[in-house]
Amino acid sequence: MKNRIIANIFSLIFCLSLVTGMFVTTASAASATVAPSKSSVTVGDTFTVTVKFSGSNLGSVQATLKYDSSVIEFVSGANANGGGGTVTMTTSSSSGVSSYRFTIKFTAKAAGSSKLSVTTSELMNFDTLQSVGTPSASNSVSVVSKTALSSNNNLSGIKLSSGTLTPAFSSGTVSYTVSVPNSVSSVVLTAKAADSNAKVSISGSNSLSVGTNTRTITVTAQNGSKKTYTVKIKRAAKESTSSGTPSSSTSSSATSSATSSGTSSGTPSNVSSADESIIVTVGETDMIICEDLTGVKLPSGFTADVYSYNGKEIPAAVGAGGKVVMAYLTNVDKTDGSFYIYNDEKLQFYAFNQLTFSTDSYTLLERRKSVAIPDGYSETTVQIGEQSVTAWQSQSADEKDFYLIYAMSPDGNCGLYRYDSAEGTLQRYTAPAVQTVDTVTNDSGISSALKPYALALAIAAAVLLITSTVLAVVLVVKRNR
């Protein structure tokens, strides 16, 4: 009988130990992540790496970030010091927090790839001053070399709203003629550079006089070298329907192409006459599509082209390989104008706006039907500078500062970008990758709602264990007596 009592006591102690260990494990779960602001950068570029530690009721943290010092170079970081391949991060809080975030600035030093490895030496609970784990994480960033400036100053094509080039277009041929009947009073001429880094400018009016009208196309390569193409448009004289000298006339309507560099500025010198104007509605305001963009510079990242709108070709600014099309709209008085983006899904125009981060400008776009918003984000607006921007905010308690914005980058890439309202930074959004993280996991299946009470439950279990042990010892002693 005595042996059975002792066996039962030890069984009880063993079970209570398991329960206590389960709750202690639940209370100590923690994780770490590391993410560069850009996965690929160019030599000389500056970028940031964000290291984040997440948990419950965190008090202090000490951790190390390892990197390849031959590829990237440490610049600065709050609560971070480093150099030579190692950055040490240390901070604490006067109250328990759910996460710590370190933003560390680097400069791309040489072509190659650098692994970013985070290890934790200390991550403490605020109340108990006990370790909640030593999580680690890793990621990488690649650095590419600067390429030599291109000398390509060729055109890849010339388009005309009326007439045919003679001879047929060839990038090596710089002189052309075009013949049109007298009924054609204007010709829209657009040209596209063979190299996307080259700039194209077109001089001369699209409005035709009877006789020869000369248009000049200048292509400036990335390295500054220039090539000039000449197109001579010959408009036939009007045939007389009565005796006497044939009369000639010109139309007041005019169309023109735009230069392909700089930002939009100024009001075009000529617009279509009222009876030929294309009127569109933006919001509740009637506006006129301008068909002569002489003197208007295109925003950076856009090139001059012709777009077919309701069966009529209009001069346009095109970006992202033709995915983004803008027209220049003026008020009905033709005294003021600016670029508007055309939404071919809604068949309507909306205002052209850009956000500038450092030296990069991003064009805000209306989201297309094919662009899916990931789970965990809801539509809202966010104030960035002086602009109220449509965005999708993360619903995660730890990610409330993050928003998704649909935009076109300076490189012409259209997609979702992640805006950090706390840091004021923007980076390309990619679906979260699986990180290599060492964590103390909860295998008990207990709901996360119980985690705040895990420490109290652990203490209660320990008290119960001690009490039960004392009672068991007392019972054994009494029975022996």
Side-chain angles (χ1 to χ4, degrees):
M1 185 67 178
K2 178 180 178 180
N3 292 335
R4 182 179 298 173
I5 292 175
I6 294 174
N8 290 338
I9 290 172
F10 280 110
S11 297
L12 177 60
I13 293 173
F14 178 73
C15 292
L16 290 175
S17 298
L18 290 178
V19 172
T20 303
M22 175 187 70
F23 287 118
V24 172
T25 300
T26 301
S28 61
S31 63
T33 59
V34 54
S37 59
K38 297 179 181 179
S39 60
S40 179
V41 295
T42 303
V43 172
D45 286 353
T46 298
F47 65 99
T48 59
V49 173
T50 300
V51 179
K52 183 178 179 181
F53 298 91
S54 301
S56 177
N57 201 31
L58 301 179
S60 62
V61 61
Q62 290 184 6
T64 301
L65 171 64
K66 296 285 188 179
Y67 62 94
D68 189 340
S69 60
S70 66
V71 177
I72 61 177
E73 184 176 19
F74 171 77
V75 177
S76 63
N79 300 315
N81 295 288
T86 303
V87 176
T88 302
M89 300 163 286
T90 305
T91 191
S92 61
S93 174
S94 59
S95 61
V97 297
S98 60
S99 66
Y100 282 116
R101 181 185 286 110
F102 297 87
T103 301
I104 305 168
K105 183 181 291 186
F106 288 90
T107 297
K109 185 176 179 181
S113 178
S114 173
K115 186 176 181 180
L116 305 168
S117 301
V118 173
T119 56
T120 309
S121 56
E122 178 184 297
L123 188 57
M124 310 297 287
N125 181 278
F126 178 77
D127 291 323
T128 66
L129 301 182
Q130 298 295 316
S131 173
V132 294
T134 56
S136 63
S138 64
N139 211 321
S140 64
V141 62
S142 61
V143 179
V144 297
S145 301
K146 288 184 177 180
T147 57
L149 297 180
S150 172
S151 60
N152 189 342
N153 54 14
N154 292 322
L155 288 178
S156 62
I158 298 175
K159 292 183 179 180
L160 302 166
S161 59
S162 297
T164 303
L165 289 175
T166 302
F169 176 79
S170 173
S171 60
T173 302
V174 296
S175 297
Y176 300 90
T177 59
V178 178
S179 297
V180 296
N182 179 264
S183 58
V184 177
S185 59
S186 65
V187 171
V188 176
L189 185 153
T190 57
K192 185 176 182 180
D195 184 351
S196 60
N197 294 313
K199 305 298 182 182
V200 178
S201 62
I202 303 174
S203 63
S205 174
N206 287 339
S207 183
L208 301 180
S209 300
V210 173
T212 300
N213 302 263
T214 302
R215 305 297 305 278
T216 301
I217 307 168
T218 302
V219 186
T220 304
Q222 189 180 30
N223 68 355
S225 62
K226 296 183 178 182
K227 178 184 284 189
T228 300
Y229 293 78
T230 302
V231 179
K232 294 183 177 181
I233 305 173
K234 298 179 179 179
R235 181 188 180 193
K238 184 176 181 180
E239 296 183 1
S240 176
T241 56
S242 59
S243 60
T245 304
S247 62
S248 63
S249 64
T250 60
S251 170
S252 62
S253 64
T255 55
S256 179
S257 60
T259 59
S260 63
S261 63
T263 57
S264 59
S265 63
T267 300
S269 58
N270 297 295
V271 293
S272 300
S273 59
D275 59 339
E276 295 180 347
S277 297
I278 303 175
I279 299 176
V280 298
T281 301
V282 179
E284 298 181 354
T285 304
D286 287 340
M287 304 191 77
I288 297 174
I289 294 180
C290 188
E291 297 183 65
D292 184 349
L293 302 186
T294 301
V296 176
K297 294 182 180 180
L298 302 190
S300 177
F302 290 84
T303 57
D305 207 336
V306 174
Y307 182 76
S308 180
Y309 175 77
N310 286 347
K312 184 173 182 179
E313 290 190 330
I314 61 171
V318 177
K323 295 179 182 178
V324 180
V325 176
M326 297 196 301
Y328 197 92
L329 307 184
T330 68
N331 56 17
V332 292
D333 295 331
K334 304 175 184 177
T335 57
D336 189 23
S338 59
F339 280 108
Y340 286 77
I341 303 174
Y342 182 60
N343 186 327
D344 58 358
E345 291 182 343
K346 297 181 180 179
L347 303 180
Q348 61 187 24
F349 290 89
Y350 61 93
F352 164 68
N353 286 307
Q354 288 187 318
L355 296 175
T356 301
F357 294 86
S358 184
T359 58
D360 295 331
S361 295
Y362 293 78
T363 301
L364 296 174
L365 303 175
E366 289 185 350
R367 182 172 68 93
R368 300 185 68 83
K369 296 177 181 178
S370 58
V371 178
I373 301 300
D375 294 336
Y377 287 82
S378 61
E379 186 170 349
T380 183
T381 58
V382 59
Q383 193 71 23
I384 304 179
E386 298 180 355
Q387 295 192 57
S388 180
V389 179
T390 299
W392 292 265
Q393 184 180 23
S394 173
Q395 297 305 293
S396 170
D398 295 334
E399 303 287 337
K400 285 292 186 181
D401 293 335
F402 292 96
Y403 300 79
L404 296 183
I405 296 172
Y406 186 56
M408 184 185 83
S409 71
D411 298 328
N413 296 317
C414 296
L416 292 174
Y417 289 83
R418 196 173 192 229
Y419 172 64
D420 185 339
S421 60
E423 301 287 343
T425 58
L426 189 73
Q427 66 185 64
R428 184 169 60 89
Y429 173 78
T430 55
V434 177
Q435 300 283 351
T436 303
V437 180
D438 296 331
T439 61
V440 182
T441 58
N442 173 18
D443 296 326
S444 63
I446 293 178
S447 169
S448 60
L450 296 178
K451 288 183 179 180
Y453 308 100
L455 181 60
L457 291 173
I459 294 173
V463 171
L464 179 60
L465 174 61
I466 294 171
T467 303
S468 300
T469 302
V470 172
L471 290 175
V473 171
V474 171
L475 289 173
V476 170
V477 172
K478 286 185 176 181
R479 186 169 186 81
N480 288 339
R481 289 178 179 175

